[in-house]
Structure formats: C-alpha cells, structure tokens
Amino acid sequence: MRRSVTSLLVAAGLLSLPLAGPPPAAAADTLVSTGKPATSSSIEAAGFEPGLSVDADTTTRWASAEGIDPQWLRIDLGSSHTISRVKLNWEAAYARTYRIQTSQDGTTWTDIHTTGTGDGAVDDLAVSGTGRYVRMYGTGRGTPYGYSLWEFEVYGSPAPADTTAPTAPGSLRSTATTSTSAALAWNAATDNVGVTGYQVFRNGTLVASPSGTSYTDSGLSASTAYTYTVRARDAAGNVSAASNALSVTTPATGTGPAVPFGSHLKPYAAGILRPSGTQSVLDQKVVDLYKSWKAAFVRQNCGNGWYQIYSPDADHPYVAEAQGYGMVITATMAGADPDAKKIFDGLVKWKIDHPSSINPNLLAAEQDVNCRSVNGGDAATDGDMDVAYGLLLADKQWGSAGTYNYKDLAIKHINAIRKDEVNPATNLLKLGDWSSSGDQYYYISRTSDWMADHFRAFRSATGDTAWDTIRTAHQNRIAGLQSTYSPGTGLLPDFVVNTDTTPKPAPGQVLEDPNDGAYWWNACRTPWRIGDDAVTSGDAASLAAARKLNTWIKAKTGGDPNKIAIGYRLNGTQISAGSEAAFFAPFAVAAMTDPGSQAWLDALWNKMVATPVDTSSYFSASIQLQVMITASGNHWVP
C-alpha cells in the first residue's frame, strides 16, 4: 500500500502531529431575565411577588394564589430577544401541566414549550423562540396548592432590529352597515416578527387603530358614501402598504325588534304555569328590575365603542359569562329599552375585539380594568354558550343587515364551540377551549353549562344534527346523575369528572372550590337552565329533571322560599345559611313545570320582586333578572 510522505515522517519520528481535541465550545447562553420587570396572574400573599423570581436569589420566590388554575408568571425583557433556553427552579408547589410562551406585545402568545408531565425540581429547557415577553402559563398544578418558582431564568440575546414591514391586509370588506355605522373586516396581514395592530383610514384620514381584524366605524351620516383602506403595523413601527380600497354607502333608515319584550309571540308548552297576576303587571316588574340591573352593571369603558357588563364579584372586572348574560338580556329586552340594540352592538364589538387566543371565533374569558384580555386570553364555555345564543336572538330581533351580521357571527361562534368546547369522545361540553386531550380537565364538565334550549337553537341555526346528539348526551347525563347520586333531591354537582368512563360528582376541589362536587355556586343555576328548556319545548326529559328538583325543594322548605339555603350536598344537607338570589330564584323556573305548584311559584315570584338588585353581584342579579324574564313568559328560543 502506498503511504504519504507525512505518514512516513511521523513513523520515523521526524515529525509530530498535535493530538486531536474537542471542538471549540459554542458560545454560552446569556442570562437576560435577571432584574427585569415581572408580573403574574396572582400572588399568594405579600412576600411572594413576581419580581422575587428574577432577583438571582434562590431563597426568595414567587407564589400564586392557591388552588386555582390557570396561573401565569410573565417577564418583560424590554425589547425583542431570541430565546434559546428557559430554566425553572420550582418550589414544592410546581406545575404538572404548563406552557412556556413568548409574545411581542404581551397579548398574542406563541407556545415554545409544552408539557403535561412536569415533576417539579429544576426544568432546564432548550427552546427556540422570539419575543419581548416570556411567560410560564400553568394549567395544571402538581399539588393542591398553587404555583411557585424560586427563579425563572430566560437565556438568549437581543434580536436584530426589525426593518421589515408587514404584508398588506387582504380582502377588506363590509360585514354590515347602518345609517350611522359601517362594520369592516379584513384578512390578517403577516410579518417576519408579528403584526401588533392595524390602522383604519376613512377617506384617507386615520380614524382607528384596532388590534384585531375588524372595526366598526360609527358616527357616520345616512345615505353617504365613504372609502376605506387598512394598513398593518408591527412592534417596531413598520407599516404595511394599504389594503384594497372599499366603498361603503350607509342606508337611510334602520328597523325595530321583531319580538319586542312583552309581546309574548313565542308561547310556552302546554300546562306551564306563570305567577298569578295580570300579564302587564308581571312584565312591568321585569322591566323595573332590568332598569336597576342596567344602571348597576352596563358600562361603556375604555372607549372604542365598547359596552361591557361589569362583574364586581368576579376575579376580573369583565368576564365572558357576564357579557353572555348581557347579550341575552339586552336582545330579549328590545322594545322595552330603546337603547337595547345600541348596547347589544357595543357588546358585539367587545366580543369581536377580545377573541380567544386559541379560537378567535370565541370570546376571551377575562379582561382587566384596562379592557385587555388576561390569563392567557382563552375562552370559557359558559360565556360562549350565551354569546352565541344572544347573537341568534339579535338576528331574529333586528336582522343581520345592520352594523353586524349577527347570523354570520353566531354560526361562526357555534361552530367554534363544537370544535373546541365539546369533547368529541363524550359529546359533553368541556370547561373551555383551553382544555385538550391529555390534560387533567379534558373529561370534566360543568353542569350549569348544560343548556338544552341553546343546543336546540344551535341545531336550528346551523342545520347540524350533531347538536341533537350533544343535547341528548347532556340530558342523559342529567338523568343518570339524578338517579345515581341524588335520587331524593335531583340536585346536580358543580362539576362532573370521569365523563369518559363512569361520570360522577367531583370528589373534592377539581377547579374552583372544595365543594366542586356539591350543589354550589355553579350548579345553583341548573333548575333555571333545565327549566328553560322544559317550559319552551315541553321535552319529557327536561320536564322530568325539573320536576324532580321542584318536588324536593318545595318539601325541603315547606313552601317557604326564605328557607332556601346557600348550597346543598347532593343528599340535601345544607352547606351555608342565608338567602341569595342565585340560589332561590332558579327554583321558580322548575316550579313552572309542576301544575300543582302555583302557590309555591307565586311565593318565589313575590320573593324575587321584593329583592332589589344586588349591585355588588352581577352573578346573582343577572340570574334573578333572567329567571324573572322566563317566569313572566318572555323567554324564547330563536
């Protein structure tokens, strides 16, 4: 074999070669999070603030409120960074299921790491992402406590300056017009880093800077032509070219409600009771309560044409459940309130401008005092059910050729509920679009969300027979729970677990409270929700379930509504004393289903009439009002 000159010299000892060593070390990741501003969804108490997780001191820590999911901890790096590594030093209270997310604007988040098998201690994660903000978003606790981090370390480097403009928004179009407004929508622009908002121009003048892909321009003149264009912008201030130009001409007049409050154009099923008294007096009592409710909770904060339902007793000042209540109530009260459509449209605008971060056709569940979505911006099923139902009511009331195409929005919302808030394996509602296969909440459902009349409306609006299957699944589950776990009372638990195997009441705290398996602050609505379907459809399953509840509570209290307690175990044992509209009012709808309960229904009605709106509780006040709407004969299914 022929050998090289080099090899011969080495063999002869006349030439030496250096020993092979390791390759040059890669540049070490740079810790970029120490001392940066940190915020969180909550803290356990003073001394556990979020900044203690970025202070380079492993003896101090951030800790969230205990027993509540989800929770998050966010770091603001000050500018866009390329993120290569995240290190989580957990205290004993760790996350089993969590995401690491990045964002350019603190609103729209991108997952760069997800896990459902966290085991605490130290998680040293190699990741790849870009953003100014980085957060840990915990959805499943590893302990009964909260989430707690000694240190939250982010490694990376400042991202290069962004000089690339977004693409132009596409397909600018009008979704609805009135004599004074034009509703616009467009396809999202794209960007190398991320689009943070848009600029809307009317006749060449900037009139709005929305964050989403829709905007309603109000204050216009009737019978007038306007030209619109839209541009996109990114976090660096780069602005796109203009979209296509759109010409909109406002019409001359509008229309009134087709089913005005008090018209009773939608009769109830045969044999359903109403409180004693003339119909006009019953209707007026509802209008009186509505005015008090409206004064206490309907707001127009943060500008932008929004209306909101204020929720002083919730975790945040605006929650999706309250907005859903507001949409159903205002659409129903059209005719009694000349401002109903204006308020409803403001609530619609709020819904459009606060989309879920997971499915943008759903409503983000919570907003803060600045009207910004918080806690991940994902959706809650209870709010979405009523939002979709309210949109269907509005379509029947006013048609869909005005400011907003209510029908189109409703169909999109309904389809999004089916896609991301119905468990395909069980046909039962999930807790929200944030729960997915494999997480600990996937086979948990909340009984107060089981609204059979809503499922009927969804079936009628979409023509999708899946809603019949979904409705039947929920009605069967109600019957099964009543038969197995509350045969003497008919009470339902707040939450049902193991819906894929042997459904049963929650064994303890699974989401909100140690009483998650009892008739508590969620399930208190079930006599109303079940009863609404019974009185409007006459369905045998709904009638049977409602009558079971009515028979027990009437006997339990001896026909005295003042004895209805705040919460019960499923066997009928009282949890708390006192009187609360959220607990006594719903039984009035169940009473309507029993021909032998006229005196009992009258007693419940009179107690509601004598109970003023609780201005500290949108929850109780909104339930009381909606129950009185039903009891007076004014609830209807679109």
Side-chain angles (χ1 to χ4, degrees):
M1 181 177 65
R2 190 177 176 186
R3 300 175 68 185
S4 69
V5 173
T6 301
S7 64
L8 290 172
L9 292 173
V10 171
L14 300 176
L15 180 65
S16 62
L17 292 177
L19 295 175
D29 294 323
T30 301
L31 179 60
V32 295
S33 55
T34 301
K36 295 297 174 64
T39 55
S40 64
S41 52
S42 67
I43 60 170
E44 179 183 343
F48 298 101
E49 290 79 11
L52 297 176
S53 67
V54 291
D55 62 355
D57 183 347
T58 56
T59 66
T60 62
R61 62 188 174 95
W62 162 74
S64 75
E66 295 185 349
I68 302 173
D69 295 312
Q71 297 285 345
W72 52 264
L73 175 62
R74 183 182 80 174
I75 301 171
D76 179 0
L77 300 177
S79 63
S80 183
H81 280 63
T82 299
I83 311 303
S84 57
R85 179 185 171 206
V86 168
K87 186 176 180 181
L88 305 174
N89 186 352
W90 294 102
E91 194 255 352
Y94 68 94
R96 185 174 303 281
T97 304
Y98 68 89
R99 312 169 196 165
I100 302 299
Q101 300 175 311
T102 60
S103 173
Q104 294 293 351
D105 58 7
T107 300
T108 302
W109 296 91
T110 300
D111 294 345
I112 60 173
H113 177 81
T114 61
T115 183
T117 58
D119 57 4
V122 176
D123 291 340
D124 199 342
L125 311 171
V127 297
S128 178
T130 302
R132 170 176 171 172
Y133 302 90
V134 182
R135 76 174 177 181
M136 185 288 300
Y137 185 66
T139 57
R141 290 165 286 119
T143 72
Y145 305 106
Y147 299 83
S148 185
L149 284 164
W150 295 110
E151 285 295 305
F152 182 3
E153 298 179 352
V154 178
Y155 294 79
S157 58
D162 177 19
T163 59
T164 302
T167 62
S171 300
L172 175 61
R173 56 200 180 275
S174 174
T175 56
T177 58
T178 70
S179 58
T180 59
S181 66
L184 309 174
W186 53 90
N187 295 346
T190 59
D191 186 65
N192 63 316
V193 177
V195 174
T196 58
Y198 296 88
Q199 298 175 338
V200 178
F201 295 83
R202 181 207 314 135
N203 297 338
T205 300
L206 178 66
V207 293
S209 298
S211 59
T213 56
S214 63
Y215 173 70
T216 298
D217 190 23
S218 57
L220 306 180
S221 299
S223 304
T224 304
Y226 298 93
T227 299
Y228 292 93
T229 57
V230 176
R231 296 176 184 264
R233 68 178 188 278
D234 61 20
N238 300 305
V239 177
S240 75
S243 68
N244 58 292
L246 173 71
S247 179
V248 174
T249 300
T250 53
T253 58
T255 59
V259 188
F261 179 84
S263 63
H264 304 281
L265 297 174
K266 306 281 187 176
Y268 287 171
I272 298 301
L273 300 179
R274 298 214 192 147
S276 299
T278 63
Q279 187 63 65
S280 61
V281 170
L282 298 180
D283 291 345
Q284 187 58 50
K285 295 298 183 184
V286 179
V287 173
D288 292 343
L289 192 75
Y290 168 75
K291 290 178 179 177
S292 297
W293 173 88
K294 177 182 174 183
F297 303 108
V298 176
R299 297 284 190 271
Q300 195 171 19
N301 294 337
C302 303
N304 208 29
W306 292 330
Y307 274 89
Q308 316 93 348
I309 307 303
Y310 176 55
S311 51
D313 47 328
D315 290 339
H316 294 86
Y318 314 107
V319 295
E321 179 184 78
Q323 312 320 310
Y325 285 163
M327 293 176 75
V328 172
I329 290 169
T330 52
T332 303
M333 297 304 297
D337 181 0
D339 292 330
K341 189 175 188 299
K342 179 174 68 175
I343 295 169
F344 188 90
D345 283 354
L347 292 168
V348 172
K349 189 174 193 308
W350 177 271
K351 167 249 184 308
I352 292 172
D353 292 345
H354 294 85
S356 166
S357 59
I358 294 175
N359 188 322
N361 287 315
L362 299 174
L363 171 61
E366 299 169 311
Q367 288 78 38
D368 62 17
V369 293
N370 297 314
C371 301
R372 292 177 65 103
S373 295
V374 293
N375 280 354
D378 42 33
T381 302
D382 50 4
D384 284 319
M385 289 287 290
D386 275 334
V387 167
Y389 194 84
L391 287 165
L392 293 177
L393 289 172
D395 173 61
K396 298 298 184 182
Q397 286 284 41
W398 300 298
S400 289
T403 305
Y404 297 103
N405 187 330
Y406 304 128
K407 184 67 174 289
D408 181 67
L409 289 169
I411 297 298
K412 289 176 179 176
H413 211 98
I414 292 165
N415 291 339
I417 291 172
R418 184 185 170 195
K419 176 180 180 292
D420 284 321
E421 292 182 335
V422 175
N423 188 313
T426 65
N427 284 309
L428 298 179
L429 290 169
K430 300 189 300 175
L431 302 175
D433 63 355
W434 49 266
S435 177
S436 57
S437 180
D439 71 39
Q440 67 191 86
Y441 303 104
Y442 192 58
Y443 292 109
I444 298 177
S445 190
R446 178 173 31 227
T447 60
S448 54
D449 297 354
W450 301 356
M451 311 171 199
D453 62 340
H454 288 44
F455 297 141
R456 293 184 197 277
F458 297 171
R459 165 68 168 88
S460 177
T462 64
D464 186 352
T465 58
W467 290 108
D468 291 333
T469 302
I470 292 166
R471 174 178 52 80
T472 300
H474 287 85
Q475 291 179 309
N476 289 343
R477 188 52 49 222
I478 290 171
L481 289 166
Q482 288 184 323
S483 174
T484 304
Y485 296 101
S486 56
T489 66
L491 296 171
L492 299 179
D494 274 11
F495 297 95
V496 178
V497 301
N498 299 345
T499 58
D500 60 327
T501 53
T502 306
K504 64 179 182 179
Q509 182 170 340
V510 297
L511 187 70
E512 295 181 358
D513 189 276
N515 290 317
D516 278 353
Y519 182 84
W520 197 227
W521 285 96
N522 286 290
C524 64
R525 295 169 285 185
T526 57
W528 157 48
R529 292 303 197 184
I530 294 169
D532 265 358
D533 185 63
V535 303
T536 54
S537 73
D539 179 86
S542 292
L543 283 169
R547 287 168 176 167
K548 193 174 189 69
L549 286 160
N550 179 65
T551 298
W552 169 76
I553 192 62
K554 184 167 65 168
K556 175 75 173 179
T557 61
D560 183 357
N562 295 305
K563 294 181 179 179
I564 297 176
I566 299 176
Y568 294 94
R569 305 295 176 195
L570 298 191
N571 64 5
T573 302
Q574 176 178 314
I575 295 177
S576 180
S579 183
E580 183 72 41
F583 283 86
F584 68 74
F587 283 113
V589 186
M592 296 171 69
T593 68
D594 178 16
S597 291
Q598 185 66 58
W600 171 233
L601 173 59
D602 289 345
L604 286 161
W605 174 264
N606 291 336
K607 181 170 177 60
M608 288 189 289
V609 169
T611 302
V613 161
D614 182 352
T615 59
S616 68
S617 176
Y618 88 92
F619 185 79
S620 282
S622 298
I623 292 171
Q624 180 182 350
L625 174 56
Q626 289 177 94
V627 166
M628 289 181 66
I629 287 172
T630 298
S632 64
N634 286 289
H635 175 62
W636 52 280
V637 180

